[in-house]
Amino acid sequence: MSGHSTFEPKHPALKWFESRLPLVGLIHSSFVAYPTPRNLNYWWTFGGILSLMLVCQILSGVVLVMHYTPHITLAFDSVEHIMRDVSYGWLIRYIHSNGASMFFIAVYIHMFRGLYYGSYKAPREVLWILGCIIYLLMMATAFMGYVLPWGQMSFWGATVITNLFSAFPVVGPTIVEWLWGGFSVDNATLNRFFSLHYLLPFMIAGVVVLHVWALHVVGQNNPTGVEPKSAKDTVPFTPYATIKDAFGMVCFLIFFAWFLFYIPNYLGHADNYIPANPLVTPAHIVPEWYYLPFYAMLRAVPDKLGGVLTMFGAIIVLFFVPWLDTSKVRSGVYRPLFKQFFWIWIAVCIGLGWLGSKPAEGGYVIAGRILTIYYFAHFLIILPLLGLFEKPKAVPASITEAVLGKNKGAAPASAGVSAPQTKG
Amino acid sequence: MTGSRGKETIVAATETAGTTRRDFLYIATGAMGAVGAAALVWPFISQLQPDASVLALSSTEVDLSQVAEGQMVTVKWRGKPVFVWNRTEKDIAEAKGVQLTALLDPIARNANLAADAPATDENRAGEGHEKWLVVIGICTHLGCVPIGHSGEYDGWFCPCHGSEYDTAGRVRRGPAPTNLEVPPYKFVSDTKISIG
Ligand code: HEM
Ligand code: FES
């Protein structure tokens, strides 16, 4: 794909600089002239929203570190000090804690978008896998961040999650001791988690650069799943995508602000306002909401190692989606059966999340088992078979045709496709 | 070892065609580099281990005269909770009444005995002091602290994922895979134990 315009510096100083480091040209070609499909909907604004949230977490986090003390005797109090004494400390902390949840809401929507529109399919496999790596890094970062306030949930969350590794035969217990730097979650653990919690977001930023690079090599997918064929199918990134992304961000920030100013503790747990006590486990421990589906899977399996493998497997399977989905048609819009299974799968994920928040007993465990099996069946059985048996609807010849109807839109090379399609 | 032969044979015309002196130098250099890198990486990995100050805290004494019959106290050893339970006759009888075959984990898990000792009540309780049960208070599932005097088996119930232990600290209901660990300890006198 060729760009809509190229960057020609006029000012002599800029010319001088550009011939030594073509930075402005790179930005111009990536975020101004870059051709984006003309039919992107609002589900496509979440990539930009994610970038915004990453910046938001890094900025608020760096400020929090100016007042936080990573030591078991001081950490809890230093967080209370931020909340009560530091000027606007409460705001910065609530931005950071609720921001993490917003980040996950956005990443889940972003991933569901990719799964629905087949954005993982060739040639976007590497792009997709980089996304999955980002998601893993986000989970690790958020987990370690949650340990830092050193409340009861911090401590017991850290204990349960690090103990997951003890399930591995032979090396398990040693791995756990080395994660802890001791014989239980303690000061050494807090310190190393703090160090890594600071580091990982910058690694995420690095992978995001690769992710966006990969995106710009293969080009964006779009709701039709049809690759742009002529210049008519695309519009320049600026102003079209820039404005749409900005509008999406503003709406998202309003949603964020509602949590921030009205229900800042809604997504948290009251127990985390009790200082960590290594001798007493709270009666009802649950992880943060964004881990709940995986937590439900962990508890659905009655075997320790089996539970841990199931939980990790639920994430690993995402890496293989590009090869598990055998359909030749990319976008779910033209796949009548896939569409239904997709929404069932979404319901299953939400159901698992709900079960993860319930105590592990009776009917909840049984329901958890059924949904866990379905979760895996979706990827390992349904996706591969659907591609073979499903009869997809006719795919439009071009994006422009999908948008404007056949008569105006038909690209020169599009003969052979019947029935005009409108955007799904 | 035959890669990029074209140029190489011209430059080093006196070498045999298969392996050149240059190949040897590449491999030797690479190997030295790898050894050097590994030597540098090791300190970065090794620092993750429990450090000397953590290891130094590894023994705790408990005065048993303060624990009434039926009472269970929690002491801290290596940062972990350890339950010390002065069991009643009924608790002991209950534990003794269980067949080994009824256990989920038939191994004693007692650091003071052989690794394969069976999980009889004698092997779980204090040596020569059968009323005393000393176990690490960490659920063998994912590390929560179980709640004492509760659950169907009158021992412990774990609030995290519902594991249950009996009056000898043996797991009777999963997901916990093994019995509560008995830490290394000995009776210093009839009323004092030293853990660790
Ligand atoms: C910090 C997290 C992330 C950031 C900042 C980020 C950023 C972006 C941006 C800016 C775009 C381009 C705009 C768009 O199409 O929405 C994009 C596209 C994409 N992302 Fe992400 N992303 C993140 C995480 C993920 C994850 C976790 C996945 C999947 C597992 C993923 C999969 C994709 C795919 C497949 C595309 C191409 C979408 C398309 O054009 O259809 N991303 N990402
Ligand atoms: S930690 Fe005790 S049952 Fe899971």
Side-chain angles (χ1 to χ4, degrees):
Chain A
M1 271 186 298
S2 59
H4 284 257
S5 71
T6 46
F7 177 66
E8 308 274 357
K10 300 256 154 50
H11 194 280
L14 195 54
K15 259 189 189 143
W16 178 89
F17 184 79
E18 204 55 16
S19 60
R20 282 155 183 84
L21 181 69
L23 183 65
V24 185
L26 179 68
I27 292 172
H28 184 272
S29 68
S30 312
F31 300 106
V32 180
Y34 185 72
T36 70
R38 63 189 289 172
N39 61 338
L40 295 188
N41 56 32
Y42 275 103
W43 301 118
W44 261 263
T45 60
F46 282 87
I49 290 169
L50 281 163
S51 312
L52 177 72
M53 288 316 299
L54 181 61
V55 171
C56 161
Q57 291 305 98
I58 291 179
L59 285 183
S60 56
V62 167
V63 172
L64 287 173
V65 172
M66 295 179 186
H67 306 278
Y68 169 80
T69 315
H71 190 278
I72 52 169
T73 56
L74 300 166
F76 186 88
D77 291 345
S78 73
V79 171
E80 284 309 302
H81 158 77
I82 290 170
M83 294 296 286
R84 291 151 199 257
D85 305 339
V86 175
S87 181
Y88 288 105
W90 60 272
L91 180 65
I92 312 276
R93 173 165 180 244
Y94 280 154
I95 287 178
H96 198 74
S97 58
N98 286 279
S101 282
M102 297 301 129
F103 203 169
F104 276 96
I105 290 176
V107 86
Y108 283 134
I109 294 177
H110 190 66
M111 291 165 75
F112 290 162
R113 184 283 318 264
L115 285 169
Y116 185 78
Y117 293 109
S119 297
Y120 47 83
K121 282 177 165 296
R124 295 188 180 79
E125 301 93 325
V126 170
L127 173 61
W128 172 258
I129 289 171
L130 287 168
C132 292
I133 292 172
I134 293 170
Y135 175 55
L136 272 181
L137 288 173
M138 278 174 67
M139 299 228 273
T141 309
F143 160 64
M144 290 195 260
Y146 195 59
V147 176
L148 303 183
W150 209 245
Q152 273 290 67
M153 282 295 177
S154 304
F155 184 90
W156 291 102
T159 299
V160 169
I161 302 298
T162 47
N163 264 309
L164 291 178
F165 293 92
S166 73
F168 295 111
V170 191
V171 289
T174 315
I175 295 182
V176 175
E177 239 168 55
W178 286 45
L179 281 174
W180 290 339
F183 304 108
S184 60
V185 173
D186 211 330
N187 196 48
T189 325
L190 176 60
N191 275 301
R192 61 191 58 184
F193 280 16
F194 177 54
S195 168
L196 294 175
H197 184 68
Y198 209 132
L199 170 71
L200 288 191
F202 294 93
M203 295 185 54
I204 294 179
V207 184
V208 168
V209 169
L210 295 180
H211 187 70
V212 174
W213 182 11
L215 175 75
H216 284 206
V217 170
V218 294
Q220 275 165 294
N221 184 26
N222 66 82
T224 66
V226 176
E227 296 289 344
K229 292 184 175 131
S230 68
K232 273 204 295 179
D233 289 341
T234 61
V235 289
F237 194 92
T238 301
Y240 297 95
T242 324
I243 292 297
K244 193 163 186 156
D245 278 352
F247 183 69
M249 285 180 201
V250 169
C251 293
F252 192 79
L253 288 178
I254 291 172
F255 176 71
F256 184 4
W258 174 55
F259 275 88
L260 192 52
F261 294 112
Y262 292 95
I263 44 172
N265 286 306
Y266 180 74
L267 297 167
H269 300 287
D271 277 304
N272 221 25
Y273 284 104
I274 302 169
N277 178 355
L279 301 187
V280 181
T281 307
H284 189 49
I285 79 160
V286 273
E288 292 289 85
W289 70 266
Y290 33 84
Y291 302 123
L292 286 175
F294 302 108
Y295 196 56
M297 295 190 206
L298 170 76
R299 302 189 305 181
V301 183
D303 175 73
K304 180 168 163 177
L305 179 61
V308 172
L309 291 178
T310 305
M311 190 171 112
F312 287 126
I315 300 169
I316 302 299
V317 74
L318 293 174
F319 285 77
F320 294 95
V321 174
W323 296 278
L324 290 170
D325 179 356
T326 51
S327 170
K328 295 210 164 51
V329 172
R330 186 179 289 139
S331 169
V333 172
Y334 305 103
R335 302 182 57 191
L337 283 177
F338 167 83
K339 225 187 245 180
Q340 295 174 30
F341 283 110
F342 174 82
W343 289 110
I344 295 174
W345 179 76
I346 297 278
V348 165
C349 291
I350 294 172
L352 281 168
W354 177 74
L355 289 169
S357 72
K358 295 285 155 198
E361 53 193 34
Y364 295 130
V365 176
I366 297 171
R369 285 187 189 148
I370 296 171
L371 296 195
T372 302
I373 292 171
Y374 189 90
Y375 177 96
F376 282 97
H378 178 83
F379 291 112
L380 301 177
I381 301 171
I382 297 174
L383 275 190
L385 290 185
L386 265 188
L388 303 179
F389 294 112
E390 182 184 44
K391 191 172 176 316
K393 289 198 272 178
V395 174
S398 71
I399 294 174
T400 308
E401 182 190 297
V403 176
L404 300 179
K406 192 173 179 187
N407 301 336
K408 290 184 206 153
S414 71
V417 177
S418 54
Q421 298 284 339
T422 45
K423 209 176 87 177
Chain B
M1 285 323 100
T2 52
S4 71
R5 183 107 49 81
K7 251 193 196 143
E8 208 104 308
T9 35
I10 298 167
V11 176
T14 54
E15 303 288 340
T16 50
T19 313
T20 64
R21 201 170 76 171
R22 201 156 288 256
D23 285 329
F24 171 77
L25 289 175
Y26 282 147
I27 291 173
T29 313
M32 279 314 287
V35 170
L40 186 62
V41 164
W42 177 243
F44 283 85
I45 308 230
S46 168
Q47 56 82 27
L48 289 170
Q49 305 184 64
D51 62 36
S53 74
V54 173
L55 292 169
L57 296 172
S58 54
S59 106
T60 305
E61 291 207 336
V62 188
D63 181 0
L64 300 180
S65 62
Q66 303 300 313
V67 187
E69 183 167 285
Q71 195 187 359
M72 186 190 294
V73 297
T74 308
V75 297
K76 215 167 155 183
W77 171 66
R78 286 176 153 190
K80 300 178 184 189
V82 171
F83 298 136
V84 179
W85 187 7
N86 186 349
R87 300 186 296 170
T88 61
E89 290 299 330
K90 179 176 158 282
D91 296 326
I92 299 168
E94 226 175 283
K96 290 202 157 150
V98 181
Q99 294 293 309
L100 278 185
T101 49
L103 296 174
L104 291 178
D105 174 19
I107 310 283
R109 311 278 166 196
N110 185 337
N112 309 290
L113 300 177
D116 59 352
T120 56
D121 191 61
E122 292 76 63
N123 284 347
R124 299 277 305 164
E127 204 190 337
H129 299 77
E130 70 168 8
K131 31 191 252 159
W132 293 100
L133 181 70
V134 180
V135 289
I136 296 180
I138 292 190
C139 180
T140 56
H141 181 225
L142 295 175
C144 292
V145 178
I147 299 162
H149 300 296
S150 56
E152 224 175 283
Y153 302 91
D154 299 328
W156 287 269
F157 168 77
C158 181
C160 289
H161 318 99
S163 293
E164 294 188 27
Y165 300 89
D166 66 12
T167 53
R170 296 171 298 199
V171 64
R172 303 300 297 278
R173 174 172 311 153
T178 56
N179 302 328
L180 293 177
E181 305 264 339
V182 177
Y185 73 100
K186 54 183 179 299
F187 282 82
V188 182
S189 70
D190 273 352
T191 57
K192 190 179 262 177
I193 56 169
S194 158
I195 308 174

